[in-house]
Amino acid sequence: MTADASAIPPLPAFDGRAVINGHRTAAIDGQTFDCISPVDGRVLTSVSRCGQADVDHAVATARAAFDSRRWSGMAPAARKRIMIKFADQILAHADELALTETLDMGKPIQYAKGVDVNSAANCIRWYGEAVDKVYDEIAPTPRTGLALITREPVGVVGIIVPWNYPMIMAAWKIAPALAAGNSVVLKPSEKSPLTALRLAELALAAGIPPGVFNVVPGYGPEAGSPLALHMDVDCIAFTGSTRVGKQIHVMAGQSNLKRAWTELGGKSPNIVFADCPNLDKAVAAAVGSIFFNQGESCNAPSRLFVEESIKDAFLEKALAMVPKFQPANPLDKSTVMGAIVDKVQMDNVLRYIGLGESEGATLVAGGKQALTETGGCYVQPTIFDGVTNHMTIAREEIFGPVLSVLSFTDTASVVEQANASIYGLQAGVWTSDINKAHGVARALRAGTVHVNQYDEDDITVPFGGFKQSGVGRDKSLHAFDKYTEVKTTWIRIDSPV
Ligand code: NAD
């Protein structure tokens, strides 16, 4: 199968201009950049190349909206109703958003619609519904005092997101930030800016007041840094690489000590013991999770540790699944593996595959670019056997469809190897022994440990990492912690009784 360009349905009329103060806005200096589809290399539209002046404009707008209390001062139940309408708007435009996402970043259309659009809408609805059900506190003070512990929106929230799940990553941050009453300036990735711009328009259509939710597309150093360094941004919430995440914390410190929250990279270990309750399920999860979204998932279980006694049987079953994941036209509804986001990322993935071979791992599946005739960016599903933990492909995040298989013989050493990473985002454990499951899950230094499954998920649970996988948590009620300040109001009670 090829990514046949003639199969592309009529395209939506893309508008790549920023959304500031409720209006579509060209960059102040008129600069644009091309938005190129990794499906077939076509230019989708030109996008505002925002810089310092545009960020200043958006932040001033967000500040004015916040101070006006049009949104921040609204009763939580009123904000809830608008957030729910916002989620409804997303679902009403599901086909358009899914097509845009697929063309912009290359993921299969069935997941763009079934996963990305639905998850983004669900997230926005969930935080909307939550916000009028969260109570504040009264402290157990002496009787002479009444101490109210209340939560207030932090103010202007800057948000910077990556390209792998453009709508979901944006929703995980804008939903709790907006529901809590903040104003937002969002900078989407330059590799996938289009759906974020549409989200801002759909928010306006739902009734979120102009200026409350602004989107400034552009490059990281040109539009992202001014946001992270801005003296009038109260909080910066970032998802992306650990390299840039570290810079975000520095920029927060260099400027106004804004609250900085970072969701960063991962190199997640997935440990399959010989007493795994269902080998077929473990294989399907290991293979399906690393190849889902072309491997461009921060929580992908990219280091697979299989107990030596079942390794050959496991690998045989894994290899039998590989043909199902051959890349194909992302616009075809049956496709399960689409295009890598751009040529830079594709070349990076191929470079890591070359490193795996040169450092002595055994390539047992894939390893090559695919569908070159399409003009798009595709890589075969790739599996390396005989990987050791010190190899580059076991240490560094590849962010592509590349699985490293390692074997082990004892529990203590596999836990030690699993934890021997700068990252600590997620991990998996497969065993029928409940004691081993709990013991290993406790010993693993990761924000989420999956037991006898991988990748099951829900908006109700926190998402984030230990170590250099970042600071803070997205999703669940815990996310409100990032976008609210805790205030104590101590009232003296001089009571005659
Ligand atoms: P990236 O760090 O290159 O870019 C992320 C965002 O930061 C983009 O919008 C980019 O324009 C911006 N940026 C880049 N340089 C900047 C700078 N100097 N100042 C301010 N902003 C800047 O990451 P990416 O390649 O877009 O995304 C892939 C990374 O994201 C992977 O490491 C992946 O693990 C991580 N990720 C993490 C999670 C999570 O929840 N932990 C989720 C998704 C992706």
Side-chain angles (χ1 to χ4, degrees):
M1 189 184 295
T2 62
D4 175 8
S6 65
I8 296 183
L11 299 186
F14 298 118
D15 187 342
R17 289 174 299 165
V19 179
I20 301 176
N21 205 18
H23 301 294
R24 284 291 194 165
T25 312
I28 288 169
D29 63 6
Q31 295 272 320
T32 60
F33 63 94
D34 283 343
C35 180
I36 297 168
S37 174
V39 173
D40 59 2
R42 72 171 61 196
V43 176
L44 295 172
T45 188
S46 65
V47 175
S48 299
R49 183 170 172 171
C50 292
Q52 178 80 54
D54 306 288
V55 171
D56 287 347
H57 179 204
V59 171
T61 290
R63 174 63 60 193
F66 184 76
D67 289 347
S68 77
R69 301 200 181 173
R70 286 195 300 271
W71 180 251
S72 53
M74 203 181 263
R79 280 205 301 271
K80 170 185 75 174
R81 285 191 287 275
I82 295 174
M83 293 290 287
I84 290 171
K85 279 192 196 156
F86 182 15
D88 291 341
Q89 283 285 329
I90 291 172
L91 293 180
H93 293 81
D95 288 328
E96 175 214 321
L97 289 168
L99 178 59
T100 305
E101 201 79 302
T102 290
L103 288 168
D104 204 359
M105 66 72 64
K107 69 176 64 199
I109 190 104
Q110 63 164 323
Y111 303 134
K113 188 168 174 187
V115 177
D116 293 60
V117 171
N118 282 341
S119 300
N122 181 51
C123 175
I124 287 163
R125 184 185 310 280
W126 193 84
Y127 282 102
E129 285 176 344
V131 75
D132 69 344
K133 297 165 190 70
V134 188
Y135 288 69
D136 286 328
E137 302 160 43
I138 294 176
T141 56
R143 283 174 63 81
T144 51
L146 175 65
L148 311 177
I149 304 171
T150 53
R151 286 185 174 274
E152 298 182 359
V154 291
V156 174
V157 176
I159 296 175
I160 301 175
V161 291
W163 45 262
N164 59 338
Y165 296 93
M167 274 185 286
I168 298 178
M169 294 300 100
W172 283 5
K173 297 188 192 314
I174 62 171
L178 290 173
N182 298 283
S183 293
V184 163
V185 178
L186 167 66
K187 194 208 83 66
S189 171
E190 62 277 17
K191 300 185 185 201
S192 61
L194 297 180
T195 48
L197 294 165
R198 284 295 286 138
L199 288 184
E201 288 185 315
L202 297 174
L204 286 164
I208 293 184
V212 170
F213 176 21
N214 309 278
V215 181
V216 285
Y219 292 97
E222 295 172 7
S225 294
L227 196 55
L229 283 165
H230 208 288
M231 293 301 287
D232 205 24
V233 169
D234 300 293
C235 164
I236 187 89
F238 174 87
T239 298
S241 62
T242 294
R243 181 184 65 79
V244 179
K246 289 181 180 181
Q247 294 172 28
I248 295 292
H249 287 286
V250 171
M251 287 188 255
Q254 274 174 340
S255 52
N256 59 345
L257 209 61
K258 56 178 67 64
R259 282 82 187 101
W261 306 107
T262 48
E263 300 288 345
L264 308 176
K267 193 73 197 176
S268 298
N270 186 21
I271 304 171
V272 186
F273 287 97
D275 63 356
C276 156
N278 184 331
L279 198 60
D280 288 333
K281 205 175 150 204
V283 172
V287 173
S289 299
I290 186 67
F291 295 147
F292 185 69
N293 211 45
Q294 302 72 245
E296 298 161 325
S297 300
C298 53
N299 64 337
S302 49
R303 286 186 298 153
L304 173 65
F305 292 91
V306 186
E307 194 158 357
E308 183 64 44
S309 60
I310 58 162
K311 214 255 324 217
D312 289 346
F314 193 101
L315 200 54
E316 196 181 319
K317 287 173 185 285
L319 290 173
M321 289 191 67
V322 168
K324 182 182 158 200
F325 292 93
Q326 290 305 323
N329 183 353
L331 293 155
D332 184 325
K333 288 191 176 116
S334 63
T335 293
V336 294
M337 172 102 97
I340 302 290
V341 70
D342 68 358
K343 185 167 181 321
V344 173
Q345 181 63 12
M346 179 178 70
D347 289 346
N348 202 31
V349 172
L350 294 170
R351 182 179 66 81
Y352 274 113
I353 292 172
L355 276 172
E357 289 185 282
S358 66
E359 290 182 11
T362 309
L363 184 67
V364 291
K368 299 213 160 30
Q369 190 180 345
L371 301 175
T372 46
E373 70 283 5
T374 62
C377 307
Y378 300 86
V379 174
Q380 295 174 336
T382 298
I383 300 181
F384 278 105
D385 189 15
V387 178
T388 56
N389 222 20
H390 69 272
M391 290 180 183
T392 308
I393 57 169
R395 284 187 290 110
E396 296 184 13
E397 187 180 40
I398 301 174
F399 226 54
V402 182
L403 178 63
S404 295
V405 182
L406 304 88
S407 61
F408 69 93
T409 49
D410 79 280
T411 307
S413 91
V414 75
V415 168
E416 191 185 320
Q417 287 186 73
N419 283 336
S421 169
I422 62 164
Y423 298 113
L425 191 55
Q426 299 205 340
V429 186
W430 298 77
T431 175
S432 300
D433 178 342
I434 192 166
N435 290 307
K436 190 156 61 180
H438 278 293
V440 172
R442 280 193 183 165
L444 288 168
R445 304 271 299 150
T448 298
V449 180
H450 301 277
V451 179
N452 295 334
Q453 57 82 22
Y454 200 96
D455 236 2
E456 286 180 19
D457 198 15
D458 200 88
I459 191 70
T460 55
V461 295
F463 189 107
F466 285 25
K467 300 191 272 183
Q468 293 185 38
S469 287
V471 177
R473 296 291 182 270
D474 279 333
K475 297 170 57 209
S476 81
L477 293 180
H478 290 280
F480 280 131
D481 295 342
K482 304 203 292 192
Y483 306 112
T484 50
E485 287 285 10
V486 173
K487 178 183 274 184
T488 298
T489 308
W490 185 295
I491 301 162
R492 172 79 196 183
I493 298 179
D494 286 320
S495 169
V497 289

